[in-house]
Amino acid sequence: MIEEFLNVSSDKLIESVMQTLYMLGWSLFFGMILGVPLGLLLVFTRKEGLLNNKVFYFLINGIVNLVRSVPFVILLVFIAPLTKAITGTRIGTKAAIVPLVFYIAPYLARLIESSFLEVKSGILEAAKAMGANTFQVIWYFLLPEAKASLVLAITTGTIGLLGATAMAGVIGGGGVGDLALTYGY
């Protein structure tokens, strides 16, 4: 049925879906590795944060805002030299992961920051009053209190990243975006 409707073989469709899932999984994984610490740093170094550091917050906040404001297609082209240095190529599914990570990490950082800021400040103050160090505040107080909001934030980020994987097809990144571009005409 799909083969008759789209002139695309089911093997090609399955291959494209698998490429999309590959890009989505790896870029979300690496994006979380970068985004979660960035989100935590944004929360802790802000004016009311536990580690109040105006200069550090200003720098991280500026970088996150700058990268988030660049449209993804421009980001794809802008970091192509870095992509080539990391992967050895500028096209393909593996090469698309680099710009996808640069796209999702600041986006997740902002979502995670929002989730952590929803935790009542009294809980963090109580944790510090009990003598908890920064790691204990994060692990035993902040994460459990923000768990539901974090799941929603990661889900929202994943959906945004899925849209970006389709745009990665523009640079020959493979996946359903490439399939749509190739067979859509």
Side-chain angles (χ1 to χ4, degrees):
M1 167 120 176
I2 291 174
E3 294 171 6
E4 295 170 10
F5 180 68
L6 298 174
N7 273 344
V8 177
S9 69
S10 56
D11 291 340
K12 183 65 179 165
L13 185 62
I14 290 170
E15 178 187 2
S16 296
V17 169
M18 295 307 290
Q19 288 173 342
T20 297
L21 291 175
Y22 177 82
M23 288 186 290
L24 183 70
W26 282 111
S27 54
L28 186 62
F29 174 75
F30 290 119
M32 293 273 297
I33 287 174
L34 294 173
V36 171
L38 279 174
L40 284 169
L41 285 171
L42 285 167
V43 170
F44 283 129
T45 59
R46 69 185 314 112
K47 187 176 181 182
E48 304 84 23
L50 296 174
L51 304 175
N52 185 2
N53 187 329
K54 292 179 187 178
V55 174
F56 203 66
Y57 178 78
F58 179 78
L59 289 173
I60 294 173
N61 189 46
I63 291 169
V64 166
N65 286 339
L66 179 69
V67 176
R68 283 185 61 223
S69 67
V70 176
F72 182 66
V73 173
I74 294 171
L75 185 66
L76 283 168
V77 175
F78 182 71
I79 66 168
L82 178 64
T83 301
K84 182 159 174 79
I86 292 172
T87 64
T89 184
R90 294 176 189 201
I91 60 171
T93 306
K94 289 181 182 176
I97 292 172
V98 175
L100 287 168
V101 169
F102 274 85
Y103 167 78
I104 197 61
Y107 186 53
L108 284 174
R110 210 39 100 192
L111 291 171
I112 288 166
E113 176 193 23
S114 294
S115 295
F116 287 147
L117 289 175
E118 290 176 8
V119 175
K120 293 183 172 90
S121 61
I123 292 172
L124 300 180
E125 290 170 12
K128 286 307 261 185
M130 288 188 279
N133 62 29
T134 304
F135 175 78
Q136 290 170 330
V137 169
I138 294 168
W139 192 255
Y140 295 111
F141 296 92
L142 196 57
L143 284 173
E145 289 294 321
K147 184 174 29 176
S149 182
L150 285 171
V151 169
L152 183 60
I154 293 167
T155 302
T156 303
T158 304
I159 292 167
L161 184 60
L162 183 60
T165 62
M167 284 188 275
V170 170
I171 62 158
V176 293
D178 183 51
L179 182 76
L181 189 64
T182 303
Y183 292 98
Y185 290 109

